[in-house]
Amino acid sequence: MRKNLQISMAKTTYMVLVMLVTLCTASPLFADESVTAIKGGDLYTITSGIIKNGTVLIEDGKILRIGQNIEIPKNAKVIDARRKVVMPGLVAATAEVGVGGGSKIADSLDPFQHDVSLALASGITTAYVSRGGPSGSNPIGGTNAVIKPTYGDLDNMLVKESVAQNAAFRSWMGKTSFRQNLRKAQAYLQKLDEYTRKKDQKKLQELKKPSGVDTYIRLLKKELPARLRATTAAQILDIVELIDEFGIRVIIEDAIEAWIVAEQIAKHDIRLIITPRNKRRPNKYISAPSGSTLENAAILKKAGVKFAIVPTSPYFQTWGVAGRDLMALPMEAAFAVRGGLDEQTALEAITITAAEIIGVADRVGSLQVGKDADIIILDGHPFHHKTFVEWTLINGKILYDKSKSPYFSHITHND
Amino acid sequence: MSNIHKYILLNILLWMLSIPAAAAEDITVIKADRVDTVTSGVIENGIIIIKDGRITAIASDIEIPDSANIIDASDKTIFPGLVNPISRVGLSSAPSGGAASNPHYRVADELYPHQDVYKRVLQTGFTTLGLVPGRGGAGIAGQGAVIRPVGNKPEEMIITESGLLMINFQANDKTKKVIKGALDSAKNKTSSTDPKVQPLINALQGRIPTYITCSGPGEILHLLKLLEPYKKMKVVLIAGSEQYRVADKLAKKKIPVILPPKLDFEPFTRNRINVPKMLTDAKVKIAFSPRGDGIESHEDFLRAVTDLVKSGLDKEIAKKAITINPAQMLAVDYRLGSLEVGKDANLLVLSGDPLDVGTKIHMVMIEGKIVHKAP
């Protein structure tokens, strides 16, 4: 009896030892997880084509290497992406997510907002958010920022503040005020330049900056684009004239009739944010072309215009009509393809071009070495209606896993 | 000696002076079935001797003085009086508005004794209330007071006149600026004659607790960042139910929380969650406060706490969360919140365990005086 007990104790000790050794070597708990590898997927790099059966290595939240036949470090954490599509996280050029009240976005970010987790489930890893805007006769106002939906993590949420100037150029009062302020700023800059060149210290000291022109100076110096809404061709042409006069950079939102004036938009290097499914009835009182067309994006592309695509609603919603908000951003881009746009440009419109327009293309929007490891892994082509996001990584961390999340884990396609 | 200790010592001294010497024969003895001390276990067949409003002895085998008034509770349980750490019972509605700094505002100046509501609160077992400036409006709301819900004059009700500083936090630039600006104006100072500054100094030095309200886990992260430079502050948090998402951070910073006793739903699901249990599992200290200032939520209070215990909250922790923990948060645990020799005789005579369904309150005593007796 006593002997048996000893034997069983020895056995137990041995078993525990074996288990410990196995744990130390096999368990990811003890592995050096400084490197993550996404292995075996089709890499939609966006900026350099599709790499079949490729691997992405991630270190310190950045993309370390991309390609085929990449050796995976022994202790790396490996995500098996065989038969999956690996692409940069989607960029929402207009969104309403992760921000509370208040006029300074950085001071009211909410990483625990439910919409933040819905954004992750939708594959969106970068979003432009804005607060306030022009009011009354003041053509500029409000603030904006680019954020990442880093659920539960406040420190990594803000990417960049003030990436554009919210503006309006629609009412005659607003338009007049916009022009006057730009002229004031321009006159000031001209004098400043003239006196500086002449080294006229006295006049330089006497030169007073007019009040309220700081933002207009930044617009004139092209440090900041003006971001405004213009749905009709006439409104867009108004803005074209403004650019002719002052040479400012402009982003136009909701450019439904852009296809009518595509050439002028291209010539003036205006960036657009469009919604292919937005419809507008033609104006029956004018003989010239008007209204919306499904071909908007395709025509703009042909003219060489850069545009981002957003859905009709900037929200992440569990109510309303499915497919019309940011929970189905690729679907919106797919409608542009339906209207004749090539798939590559449509993909760019929700990744790299969107990132460029909101001023963060140096960090996100494509699978490129050195960029933030904001990556989504999909179970099919991004434009297929059955496709779901399986994993979402931001800064190299898995923040969404479809199988462990309540949103879509129960939906599977058997064919 | 830390500042909070000095402050407590001063309070103890004032407290000793405040009670007039009573006649030597003013002794009450309670003979009980069980005495639940909360801090040092249960004494079966316990006897409590009360002199001059304070407990002078608790044990099962003490000699009873001849001249004592004897309360026979030999089939009853004795439990400390309940402490509500955050309340606005009996106060008129609080002003609200945009972000503002009003540290000089004092609840103690707005007390109205003789209100029926205080009698009814007593009947539900609460013997101590932490009255606070309103939760509406952002910024620094003012100073709270610790009171007993008995007395004919405000002075008779007050235990601590400027017992705490209350801040209503919101994650936006304006509110942050107001709060930070006010705190920084009092930083590196030890005293001030400015009534707008002195309470801030007391809070910054940790001489009085600082209550901070905010609405969700995201706001808590902003708040923790804002509080970083003010290391000595004794912060007590009042946040929404989703605060469990940052429980580890609260535990690490040793920030206790006050919350209503209720079961919640996990947001956007129908899964029941026991937030007090989640917080205490993460080693966050908690105190319960009734869900509202209405009498219904006071009457429902012990039943609601019992529900949480039934669904997993540790019973001993739950008992502390309605007595000694809120007393600590109000910095009055040196004199109340548990049944201990030397403490105020604030106690309840109950038909059974306070966290058993159906237990009735037979008698409520504050500082040795019977303030409520069930008919």
Side-chain angles (χ1 to χ4, degrees):
Chain A
M1 183 64 199
R2 198 192 169 93
K3 205 179 164 191
N4 276 346
L5 194 75
Q6 272 176 354
I7 288 168
S8 78
M9 268 181 69
K11 257 189 185 166
T12 318
T13 320
Y14 175 72
M15 291 263 287
V16 167
L17 253 166
V18 167
M19 270 166 68
L20 264 174
V21 169
T22 335
L23 265 173
C24 289
T25 51
S27 158
L29 242 154
F30 295 94
D32 167 26
E33 283 194 359
S34 66
V35 174
T36 304
I38 302 170
K39 190 183 145 190
D42 288 349
L43 313 181
Y44 285 41
T45 66
I46 306 294
T47 42
S48 39
I50 295 173
I51 301 168
K52 292 258 175 200
N53 191 14
T55 295
V56 185
L57 288 190
I58 299 163
E59 193 179 43
D60 294 335
K62 303 269 180 201
I63 296 173
L64 184 67
R65 288 188 71 190
I66 311 168
Q68 286 173 331
N69 308 320
I70 286 178
E71 202 184 316
I72 295 169
K74 216 165 80 189
N75 292 326
K77 177 190 168 85
V78 178
I79 300 170
D80 184 2
R82 275 174 298 174
R83 292 183 301 280
K84 312 271 185 222
V85 169
V86 179
M87 65 177 285
L90 306 178
V91 179
T94 304
E96 185 56 54
V97 61
V99 188
S103 55
K104 196 166 180 293
I105 289 170
D107 278 328
S108 58
L109 293 172
D110 185 358
F112 285 101
Q113 219 179 60
H114 185 230
D115 297 6
V116 169
S117 56
L118 285 175
L120 289 168
S122 314
I124 285 159
T125 56
T126 306
Y128 168 95
V129 289
S130 84
R131 274 288 169 277
S135 61
S137 63
N138 187 2
I140 61 168
T143 178
N144 52 55
V146 176
I147 64 153
K148 290 188 186 184
T150 52
Y151 187 83
D153 174 9
L154 181 62
D155 297 334
N156 289 304
M157 205 169 172
L158 185 72
V159 180
K160 212 171 174 184
E161 270 190 294
S162 295
V163 293
Q165 178 56 54
N166 302 355
F169 200 66
R170 290 163 78 116
S171 70
W172 71 266
M173 268 199 348
K175 282 194 225 174
T176 312
S177 159
F178 205 134
R179 277 209 165 81
Q180 273 174 347
N181 283 317
L182 281 172
R183 279 195 197 115
K184 250 194 263 174
Q186 207 172 33
Y188 167 74
L189 285 179
Q190 269 163 7
K191 273 189 196 147
L192 188 73
D193 184 52
E194 188 192 322
Y195 300 155
T196 314
R197 256 188 297 118
K198 287 185 185 160
K199 293 191 176 133
D200 191 340
Q201 286 305 327
K202 197 175 161 236
K203 278 197 171 165
L204 266 177
Q205 269 169 13
E206 276 170 10
L207 182 64
K208 280 216 177 73
K209 187 159 70 178
S211 65
V213 297
D214 285 330
T215 308
Y216 295 96
I217 289 175
R218 292 189 71 195
L219 291 175
L220 285 170
K221 287 184 168 172
K222 298 194 179 190
E223 290 170 3
L224 204 66
R227 185 165 158 146
L228 27 79
R229 190 164 170 270
T231 49
T232 66
Q235 284 166 354
I236 295 170
L237 288 177
D238 274 351
I239 293 164
V240 163
E241 281 169 19
L242 189 72
I243 296 171
D244 274 336
E245 192 175 345
F246 297 101
I248 61 172
R249 281 162 61 205
V250 172
I251 299 164
I252 296 180
E253 293 177 353
D254 213 0
I256 295 180
E257 288 188 354
W259 60 280
I260 301 164
V261 287
E263 299 298 332
Q264 285 98 317
I265 292 170
K267 211 176 117 195
H268 290 82
D269 204 20
I270 300 172
R271 306 296 153 98
L272 302 184
I273 294 166
I274 58 167
T275 303
R277 278 186 288 181
N278 255 4
K279 285 191 179 180
R280 186 190 185 87
R281 195 192 293 258
N283 186 340
K284 61 182 174 186
Y285 300 110
I286 58 173
S287 55
S290 63
S292 58
T293 170
L294 190 57
E295 293 169 76
N296 196 10
I299 294 168
L300 290 168
K301 157 75 181 168
K302 223 179 200 171
V305 178
K306 290 220 165 184
F307 54 84
I309 288 174
V310 297
T312 48
S313 154
Y315 298 95
F316 295 89
Q317 290 163 341
T318 46
W319 53 276
V321 179
R324 56 168 241 177
D325 62 21
L326 277 171
M327 292 188 72
L329 177 57
M331 297 263 192
E332 196 67 50
F335 261 82
V337 175
R338 190 177 170 86
L341 185 69
D342 60 293
E343 281 189 359
Q344 172 63 25
T345 308
L347 276 177
E348 287 171 7
I350 54 174
T351 55
I352 189 70
T353 311
E356 245 175 72
I357 290 173
I358 64 172
V360 291
D362 55 327
R363 284 184 57 181
V364 302
S366 61
L367 297 184
Q368 272 175 291
V369 171
K371 278 203 173 178
D372 294 1
D374 297 354
I375 298 170
I376 55 175
I377 301 165
L378 314 169
D379 58 2
H381 191 281
F383 292 152
H384 197 286
H385 58 272
K386 278 184 182 172
T387 298
F388 273 102
V389 175
E390 297 218 326
W391 289 283
T392 302
L393 288 82
I394 292 186
N395 300 330
K397 286 199 189 89
I398 299 177
L399 295 186
Y400 170 75
D401 180 341
K402 183 188 169 211
S403 66
K404 288 177 189 156
S405 145
Y407 303 128
F408 307 118
S409 53
H410 52 289
I411 301 174
T412 49
H413 302 295
N414 294 323
D415 49 315
Chain B
M1 195 171 359
S2 79
N3 279 318
I4 191 116
H5 287 138
K6 273 187 212 158
Y7 179 75
I8 288 170
L9 217 78
L10 184 75
N11 270 317
I12 293 172
L13 212 72
L14 287 171
W15 166 51
M16 285 172 153
L17 292 172
S18 69
I19 294 167
E25 61 270 19
D26 187 11
I27 296 173
T28 305
V29 173
I30 304 174
K31 287 182 179 172
D33 175 27
R34 301 169 80 241
V35 177
D36 193 337
T37 65
V38 175
T39 44
S40 35
V42 174
I43 301 163
E44 304 284 345
N45 299 316
I47 295 166
I48 302 174
I49 300 183
I50 298 157
K51 202 177 155 189
D52 300 339
R54 268 176 250 163
I55 298 168
T56 55
I58 315 176
S60 55
D61 49 354
I62 343 174
E63 209 172 299
I64 296 167
D66 294 335
S67 57
N69 309 312
I70 293 173
I71 296 171
D72 183 11
S74 51
D75 57 345
K76 305 277 190 295
T77 297
I78 314 299
F79 193 72
L82 306 180
V83 180
N84 182 357
I86 183 163
S87 171
R88 284 195 51 83
V89 165
L91 296 172
S92 50
S93 64
S96 64
S101 175
N102 298 310
H104 55 300
Y105 170 78
R106 297 180 349 141
V107 159
D109 297 332
E110 290 198 355
L111 283 178
Y112 287 89
H114 288 303
Q115 291 189 82
D116 195 43
V117 67
Y118 286 128
K119 262 184 225 155
R120 298 184 67 187
V121 162
L122 275 176
Q123 290 168 12
T124 63
F126 285 93
T127 54
T128 310
L129 308 178
L131 293 185
V132 297
R135 299 191 204 184
I140 296 180
Q143 301 161 57
V146 187
I147 65 145
R148 33 177 110 73
V150 284
N152 295 318
K153 297 181 209 156
E155 306 89 271
E156 288 173 22
M157 299 179 80
I158 288 167
I159 297 171
T160 323
E161 212 170 352
S162 299
L164 60 95
L165 182 76
M166 171 113 161
I167 296 177
N168 294 317
F169 179 77
Q170 279 173 11
N172 61 53
D173 47 335
K174 268 194 199 128
T175 308
K176 282 184 185 177
K177 216 169 152 189
V178 164
I179 294 171
K180 222 176 152 34
L183 292 177
D184 285 342
S185 76
K187 219 183 159 192
N188 306 325
K189 285 185 189 163
T190 48
S191 71
S192 165
T193 48
D194 187 345
K196 277 193 112 165
V197 179
Q198 187 57 45
L200 298 172
I201 295 172
N202 290 344
L204 282 170
Q205 300 290 331
R207 292 175 200 154
I208 56 171
T210 305
Y211 276 25
I212 307 184
T213 66
C214 68
S215 70
E219 283 202 338
I220 294 174
L221 295 185
H222 283 275
L223 174 66
L224 294 181
K225 245 184 201 173
L226 183 126
L227 291 177
E228 254 162 36
Y230 317 114
K231 305 238 184 279
K232 282 194 207 158
M233 251 180 156
K234 299 259 181 297
V235 174
V236 177
L237 189 69
I238 300 100
S241 64
E242 264 195 86
Q243 61 184 304
Y244 69 84
R245 298 197 194 273
V246 290
D248 53 333
K249 289 199 170 69
L250 296 177
K252 211 175 135 199
K253 299 251 175 193
K254 294 200 163 59
I255 294 179
V257 304
I258 299 172
L259 70 174
K262 64 183 175 81
L263 285 170
D264 287 285
F265 283 112
E266 186 186 343
F268 305 99
T269 74
R270 284 180 186 155
N271 306 329
R272 278 288 191 194
I273 49 170
N274 187 333
V275 174
K277 176 178 159 45
M278 293 161 102
L279 289 170
T280 53
D281 284 352
K283 305 272 181 286
V284 177
K285 185 175 270 186
I286 62 163
F288 289 123
S289 173
R291 288 176 76 161
D293 292 323
I295 201 67
E296 302 79 9
S297 33
H298 288 75
E299 283 167 350
D300 192 46
F301 183 70
L302 285 176
R303 200 270 318 150
V305 176
T306 306
D307 268 6
L308 290 169
V309 171
K310 276 198 282 183
S311 75
L313 177 65
D314 182 89
K315 199 172 190 175
E316 294 312 307
I317 290 178
K319 283 179 180 173
K320 287 190 170 132
I322 56 179
T323 54
I324 190 71
N325 288 3
Q328 278 170 359
M329 292 180 198
L330 290 167
V332 290
D333 55 313
Y334 67 91
R335 63 176 287 181
L336 54 88
S338 62
L339 299 179
E340 284 174 76
V341 170
K343 281 197 172 180
D344 289 355
N346 290 2
L347 52 87
L348 312 178
V349 178
L350 306 168
S351 63
D353 190 281
L355 298 184
D356 279 349
V357 180
T359 293
K360 292 206 164 42
I361 299 173
H362 285 278
M363 191 186 279
V364 179
M365 185 181 271
I366 293 184
E367 287 155 38
K369 287 193 192 76
I370 298 167
V371 290
H372 166 69
K373 215 170 169 180

